[in-house]
């Protein structure tokens, strides 16, 4: 399917142009992560991709208008589609979308319940366009959610490393295994790109490519040579030791990861890595990473560490935690989710193991176990102009206070003393206030083009509560 922004929206939005009050000339809406969910902060990311990929430049053509008209006539069985409105955009704006979007900087960590983005039409004839674009814009929920959940996991690993080892290794401690489990090439790219805000390890190449094309990144993510089951099982059960030895010969230096539970992970740790291949591992220039791939994650990690510790030794580091030699490490890539990760980390610390011993790989648990409701991200109308009169627009359902929405033109400011971000009405901005909602898009043009380095700097800079 070729892009056609006229049709890239929910069906019912094609009918809303007739439903606004007569005389409506402006509609403004805002996006937030509603309060009342499981998490208290979100890390905003991914809008720039959506703007460049779907909204910037000429987006309305005569061919698209004809396609939209024919499609909606068949879809609804009646004439409900705003053909004249799209024709107006083509005739008066050369096919560029007459809206203005303001948003926080990508990478910014924002408390839930605060405005992340606003959008309003810039042509009075196109009041209906604001919320037509909601469907596309709200899809920023996905990379924002991945970035937000990754931030939590990064904090868990960083805190554990400060207690038991070296925090410098944390950026490579959660590796993205999620490519094959993603719902599409685009979702893999967006989710993997969001992961790279906090971590540097990935096997999802699509995320690196997205960041290079849409954020001007160099090489944002890294990986290492690693075995899969086929490269082991092709040798047969009796050839497992030969398979391991062959991989070490093929990659005689650097990091190499070897899946070791095709048959018996205990035997692999005790008899193969810990005995038959022990000298080869210690003589090698680099690190062999042993990968179990089944069993209870907590018990498996501890059991493998104990077996490898018996074979290679695991003296206590300066912080009092056991640490394997640099030549041997473990990667747990099965069953890693935001729920299981803290359980494994806690078990490691309680057993006296430094978290430096283990790298984690996460697939579906990293990129797929979330929905828009995970962070309760939504867009709602907040302001309208009808017959020249400005109106606050909001909803207050009596059955759910967490779905109450804000009214008026909105801004986001940071308290100078506490660093806390909070939403205010735009007319309440003082001369000393800086509105963190920056213009990013207007009338088809990108107004803010952040580089990947700038996004990473934003992630590192903000240390609000």
């Amino acid at each position: 399917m070729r892009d056609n922004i006229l049709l890239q929206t929910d069906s019912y939005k094609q009918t809303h142009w007739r439903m606004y009050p007569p005389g409506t000339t402006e509609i403004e809406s805002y996006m937030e992560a509603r309060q009342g969910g499981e998490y208290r902060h979100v890390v905003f990311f991914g809008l720039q991709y959506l703007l460049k990929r779907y909204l910037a430049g000429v987006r309305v053509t005569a061919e698209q208008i004809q396609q939209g008209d024919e499609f909606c006539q068949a879809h609804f069985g009646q004439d409900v589609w705003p053909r004249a409105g799209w024709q107006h955009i083509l005739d008066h704006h050369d096919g560029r979308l007459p809206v203005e979007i303001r948003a926080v900087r990508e990478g910014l960590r924002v408390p839930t319940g605060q405005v992340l983005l606003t959008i309003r039409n810039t042509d009075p004839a196109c009041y209906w366009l604001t919320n037509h674009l909601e469907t596309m814009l709200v899809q920023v929920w996905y990379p924002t959610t991945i970035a937000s959940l990754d931030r939590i996991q990064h904090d868990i690993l960083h805190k554990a490393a400060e207690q038991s080892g070296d925090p410098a290794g944390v950026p490579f401690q959660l590796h993205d295994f999620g490519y094959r489990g993603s719902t599409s090439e685009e979702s893999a790219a967006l989710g993997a790109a969001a992961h790279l805000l906090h971590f540097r390890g990935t096997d999802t190449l699509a995320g690196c490519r997205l960041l290079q094309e849409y954020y001007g990144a160099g090489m944002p993510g890294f990986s290492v040579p690693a075995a899969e089951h086929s490269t082991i099982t092709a040798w047969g059960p009796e050839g497992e030791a030969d398979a391991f030895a062959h991989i070490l010969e093929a990659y005689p230096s650097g990091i190499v990861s070897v899946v070791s539970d095709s048959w018996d992970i205990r035997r692999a740790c005790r008899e193969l890595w810990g005995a038959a291949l022990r000298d080869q591992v210690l003589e090698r220039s680099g690190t062999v990473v042993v990968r179990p791939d089944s069993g209870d994650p907590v018990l498996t990690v501890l059991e493998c560490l104990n077996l490898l510790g018996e074979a290679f030794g695991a003296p206590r580091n300066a912080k009092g935690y056991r640490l394997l030699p640099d030549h041997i490490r473990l990667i747990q890539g099965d069953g890693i989710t935001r729920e299981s990760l803290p359980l494994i980390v806690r078990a490691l610390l309680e057993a006296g193991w430094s978290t430096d011993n283990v790298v984690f790989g996460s697939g579906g648990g990293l990129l797929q176990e979330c929905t828009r409701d995970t962070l309760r991200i939504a867009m709602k109308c907040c302001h309208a102009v009808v017959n020249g009169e400005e109106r606050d627009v909001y909803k207050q359902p009596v059955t759910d206070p967490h779905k109450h929405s804000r009214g008026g033109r909105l801004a986001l400011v940071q308290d100078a003393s506490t660093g806390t971000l909070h939403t205010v009405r735009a007319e309440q901005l003082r001369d000393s206030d800086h509105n963190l909602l920056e213009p990013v898009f207007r009338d088809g043009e990108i107004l803010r083009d952040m580089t990947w380095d700038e996004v990473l700097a934003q992630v590192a800079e903000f240390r609000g509560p």
Side-chain angles (χ1 to χ4, degrees):
M1 296 187 298
R2 289 180 297 171
D3 291 344
N4 185 345
I5 197 63
L6 288 66
L7 296 174
Q8 289 171 292
T9 193
D10 302 294
S11 295
Y12 74 152
K13 288 185 178 295
Q14 305 286 13
T15 69
H16 291 170
W17 62 287
R18 286 177 173 166
M19 299 183 185
Y20 288 104
T24 299
T25 54
E26 185 178 314
I27 292 292
E28 182 167 340
S29 294
Y30 79 103
M31 182 186 296
E32 70 174 350
R34 292 166 169 160
Q35 292 180 328
E38 184 177 352
Y39 305 101
R40 295 176 52 231
H41 294 86
V42 299
V43 178
F44 188 71
F45 176 70
L47 176 64
Q48 183 166 298
Y49 165 79
L50 294 174
L51 295 180
K52 289 184 176 182
R53 175 69 178 80
Y54 295 108
L55 301 186
V58 175
R59 293 293 167 170
V60 182
T61 66
E63 179 185 6
Q64 289 172 323
I65 292 174
Q66 185 62 30
Q67 181 189 33
D69 197 358
E70 293 174 359
F71 183 96
C72 287
Q73 184 64 46
H75 186 54
F76 290 98
Q78 55 180 309
D79 185 14
V80 300
W81 194 65
R83 177 172 185 135
W86 291 112
Q87 190 65 48
H88 176 88
I89 292 174
L90 177 60
D91 294 342
H92 294 270
H93 299 280
D94 298 322
R96 297 174 182 269
L97 301 173
V99 296
E100 179 186 72
I101 299 172
R102 292 173 171 264
V104 300
R105 292 180 68 80
E106 303 211 16
L108 186 66
R109 183 170 176 255
V110 182
T112 56
Q114 308 305 320
V115 59
L116 300 169
L117 170 157
T118 63
I119 176 174
R120 66 176 184 89
N121 57 293
T122 59
D123 182 334
C126 300
Y127 59 90
W128 50 271
L129 182 60
T130 297
N131 280 353
H132 176 94
L133 298 176
E134 174 192 358
T135 306
M136 177 62 67
L137 291 173
V138 171
Q139 289 179 12
V140 77
W141 77 262
Y142 176 63
T144 293
T145 300
I146 299 300
S148 304
L149 299 180
D150 261 21
R151 167 66 182 257
I152 294 168
Q153 295 177 97
H154 180 277
D155 289 351
I156 291 170
L157 291 170
H158 195 273
K159 182 179 179 180
E162 287 184 323
Q163 177 179 333
S164 69
D166 184 2
V170 171
F172 288 94
Q173 210 165 5
L174 183 60
H175 200 89
D176 178 2
F177 285 172
Y179 207 159
R180 72 191 63 184
S182 295
T183 58
S184 69
E185 184 74 10
E186 185 177 38
S187 64
L190 280 168
H195 172 73
L196 293 171
L197 264 73
H198 304 295
F199 296 96
R200 300 294 172 265
T202 184
D203 261 30
T204 306
L205 299 178
C208 297
R209 295 174 62 199
L210 182 147
L211 292 176
Q212 289 176 334
E213 182 171 354
Y214 292 93
Y215 290 83
M219 177 47 68
F222 305 90
S223 191
V224 300
E228 69 174 18
H229 283 290
S230 72
T231 63
I232 306 300
T233 56
W235 293 74
E238 302 304 319
E240 187 175 31
D242 293 332
F244 292 172
H246 177 74
I247 291 171
L248 298 188
E249 292 170 3
Y251 296 96
S253 62
I255 300 172
V256 63
S257 173
V258 186
V259 64
S260 303
D261 82 327
S262 297
W263 293 286
D264 188 340
I265 186 63
R266 300 179 185 91
R267 174 179 176 270
C269 290
R270 182 189 301 110
E271 300 178 19
L272 302 184
W273 296 118
L277 300 172
R278 181 178 183 277
D279 290 344
Q280 192 173 346
V281 170
L282 293 175
E283 292 168 1
R284 186 176 176 275
S285 175
T287 303
V288 175
V289 184
V290 177
R291 178 161 74 93
D293 194 41
S294 56
D296 179 270
V298 176
L299 298 178
T300 299
V301 167
L302 291 176
E303 188 170 16
C304 289
L305 286 178
N306 287 330
L307 290 171
L308 294 173
E310 291 173 5
F312 290 92
R316 296 191 181 275
N317 62 15
K319 295 181 177 179
Y321 289 83
R322 298 180 68 193
L323 184 64
L324 293 169
D326 290 343
H327 294 84
I328 191 82
R329 288 289 186 269
L330 195 73
I331 180 169
Q332 176 63 33
D334 180 62
I336 300 302
T337 66
R338 63 182 184 273
E339 289 83 18
S340 68
L341 180 69
L343 298 179
I344 300 172
V345 168
R346 183 173 65 187
L348 287 170
L349 298 177
E350 290 177 349
W353 285 100
S354 169
T355 54
D356 289 358
N357 290 290
V358 185
V359 172
F360 301 93
S362 186
L366 182 74
L367 299 187
Q368 288 299 122
E369 291 190 4
C370 62
T371 70
R372 185 168 67 90
D373 289 332
T374 301
L375 298 179
R376 297 170 57 88
I377 291 177
M379 182 179 288
K380 296 299 171 188
C381 183
C382 57
H383 183 266
V385 177
V386 181
N387 293 318
E389 174 196 1
E390 298 200 19
R391 297 182 179 179
D392 288 356
V393 182
Y394 57 91
K395 69 175 200 173
Q396 291 183 345
V398 297
T399 53
D400 188 353
H402 291 123
K403 283 195 171 185
H404 290 189
S405 66
R406 297 178 183 270
R409 299 187 189 276
L410 304 177
L412 185 71
V413 297
Q414 185 172 15
D415 186 278
S417 58
T418 66
T420 303
L421 304 183
H422 59 277
T423 303
V424 299
R425 296 175 65 97
E427 65 267 22
Q428 295 174 337
L429 285 171
R430 300 166 299 184
D431 292 341
S432 59
D433 288 332
H434 170 58
N435 186 2
L436 297 178
L437 297 180
E438 301 174 350
V440 297
F441 181 92
R442 186 182 300 117
D443 300 338
E445 299 296 327
I446 299 289
L447 302 181
R448 182 184 73 193
D449 193 348
M450 293 184 71
T451 67
W452 182 235
D453 287 343
E454 289 173 333
V455 177
L456 292 180
Q458 180 63 75
V459 172
E461 175 187 344
F462 187 72
R463 292 293 182 266

